[in-house]
């Protein structure tokens, strides 16, 4: 089991005891395992365990020398430890060997204990290596869980809360291991939300107390796989765990479901990233000559119900219900984009990564730019800028605001209104803009067909049959294209 204070495995009956692995034995490179089961195998596995512990520790000190530019950061690394910077592997290795021997010993003890307790090393030969690797991977996951022993429940859950939105495109060799780590991390910090993991990276939004989200960010930035991230990659807004019904973490083919295999169309083909200030200047120039401008398009990559309650002035907002329809929209409107300069934006930036890559693959645009950090970051810099209305978010808040302007209206009476609620009809997941006055009159559904259904009449069995028969008879449903299956 894990010690919450140290993150190291505690003693368990019948396993390798920490007391048996004293400093003298570690200095001599051979642990005292005379009382442990499978002692010969564990003795032979000691060099492997110590090598893995050393490599994990060094990896934890790696940082990006290129800031937030993930593409250049991949090839420009250095290490920071004990207030020193090391620019080559040899120097950091020497430093860790000299200054952090005790930490390496503790990690090695933990790895050997795990191997012994799980019975993964019955014989030390090549066939035992995969099992040992699996065991150490589990150990690695535990090493990246934060220490919260100094916090009580009230400190972890209490106080102001917030919601984090982030993504990171990077190579993930073991997405299922990262998925398990994310589940354990969020459960430990009492966070709720949605996280997608794939071999191409991670995409998530989680909510909890600011203490918990702060520890979550720290854990993410310290993990070797996500070291290319920086603090600015996490967008924050007021909220908390109550903004999500539960925690969902899964492994998918894509971290944003566009329906195009990332092995065929990579995010690396994305357009040029513009900081919020640069994007603001581009939009300003576009609007200043809008009446005579025919060479620039300000493109909203989001769904219609998102752009309906908030958008940039004079944008092109496609009438699509899912991002997976975006490629089809581009294919049908290639002439619209031909020879044009395109300024793209979305909520947090992730859809533009794949969307701009797809548009670039068509080779029809003159230039393609995308808003780095999305509307979220833009509003931090320009709350009174060119974006008007609310920002739609995929949690139970539905929208967040930096201003009071309303650009949408109630679907029933036309009064200004921008607060979404779900259609009142079972099985219909459409969002409805219905003002309080109209809702009091019973106008709570997305369309006349849904509004005409009365689920309160009839016996339970009759209602169940009626549910099954009528759930696809909504006129909104009939208008919807079918959503491509999101492959796990």
């Amino acid at each position: 089991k894990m010690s919450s204070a140290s993150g190291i495995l505690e003693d368990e009956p019948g396993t390798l005891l920490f007391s048996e692995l004293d400093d003298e034995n570690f200095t001599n490179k051979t642990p005292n395992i005379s009382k442990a089961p499978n002692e010969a195998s564990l003795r032979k596995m000691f060099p492997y365990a110590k090598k893995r512990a050393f490599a994990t520790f060094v990896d934890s000190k790696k940082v990006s020398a290129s800031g937030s530019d993930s593409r250049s950061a991949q090839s420009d690394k250095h290490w920071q430890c004990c207030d020193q910077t090391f620019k080559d592997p040899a120097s950091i290795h020497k430093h860790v060997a000299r200054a952090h021997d005790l930490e390496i010993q503790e990690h090695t003890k933990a790895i050997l204990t795990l191997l012994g307790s799980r019975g993964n090393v019955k014989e030390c030969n090549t066939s035992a290596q995969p099992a040992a690797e699996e065991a150490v991977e589990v150990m690695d996951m535990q090493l990246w869980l934060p220490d919260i022993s100094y916090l009580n429940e009230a400190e972890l859950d209490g106080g102001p809360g917030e919601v984090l939105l982030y993504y990171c495109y990077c190579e993930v060799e073991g997405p299922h291991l990262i998925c398990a780590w994310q589940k354990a991390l969020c459960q430990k910090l009492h966070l709720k939300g949605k996280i997608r993991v794939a071999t191409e990276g991670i995409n998530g939004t989680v909510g909890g107390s600011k203490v918990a989200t702060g520890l979550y960010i720290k854990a993410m930035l310290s993990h070797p796989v996500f070291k290319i991230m920086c603090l600015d990659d996490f967008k924050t807004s007021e909220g908390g765990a109550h903004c999500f019904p539960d925690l969902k973490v899964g492994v998918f083919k894509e971290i944003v479901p566009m329906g195009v295999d990332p092995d065929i169309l990579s995010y690396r083909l994305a357009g040029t990233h513009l900081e919020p200030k640069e994007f603001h200047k581009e939009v300003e120039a576009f609007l200043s000559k809008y009446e005579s401008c025919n060479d620039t398009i300000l493109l909203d990559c989001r769904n219609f119900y998102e752009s309906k309650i908030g958008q940039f002035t004079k944008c092109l907002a496609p009438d699509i219900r899912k991002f997976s329809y975006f490629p089809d929209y581009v294919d049908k409107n290639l002439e619209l984009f031909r020879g044009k300069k395109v300024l793209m934006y979305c909520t947090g930036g992730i859809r533009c990564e794949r969307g701009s890559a797809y548009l670039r693959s068509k080779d029809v645009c003159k230039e393609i730019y995308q808003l780095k950090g999305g509307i979220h970051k833009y509003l931090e810099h320009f709350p009174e800028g060119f974006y008007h209305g609310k920002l739609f978010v995929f949690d139970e808040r539905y929208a967040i605001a930096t201003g009071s302007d309303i650009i949408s209206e109630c679907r029933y009476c036309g009064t200004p209104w921008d607060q979404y609620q779900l259609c009142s009809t079972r099985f219909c997941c459409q969002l409805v803009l219905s003002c309080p006055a109209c809702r009091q009159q019973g106008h709570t559904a997305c369309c006349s067909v849904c509004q005409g259904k009365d689920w309160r009449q009839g016996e339970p069995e009759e209602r169940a049959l009626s549910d099954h028969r009528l759930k696809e008879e909504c006129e909104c449903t009939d208008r919807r294209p079918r959503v491509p299956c999101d492959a796990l």
Side-chain angles (χ1 to χ4, degrees), residues 167-169 196-198 200-203 253-257 350:
Y167 72 90
C168 176
Y169 278 106
R196 298 173 65 95
V197 183
E200 64 171 355
I202 188 171
N203 174 22
K253 183 68 175 177
E254 306 171 85
I255 59 173
V256 59
I350 187 170

Side-chain angles (χ1 to χ4, degrees), residues 172-187:
V172 179
E173 294 183 359
H176 289 280
L177 183 64
I178 294 296
C179 181
W181 170 62
Q182 281 289 314
K183 285 181 180 177
L185 177 61
C186 290
Q187 289 170 352

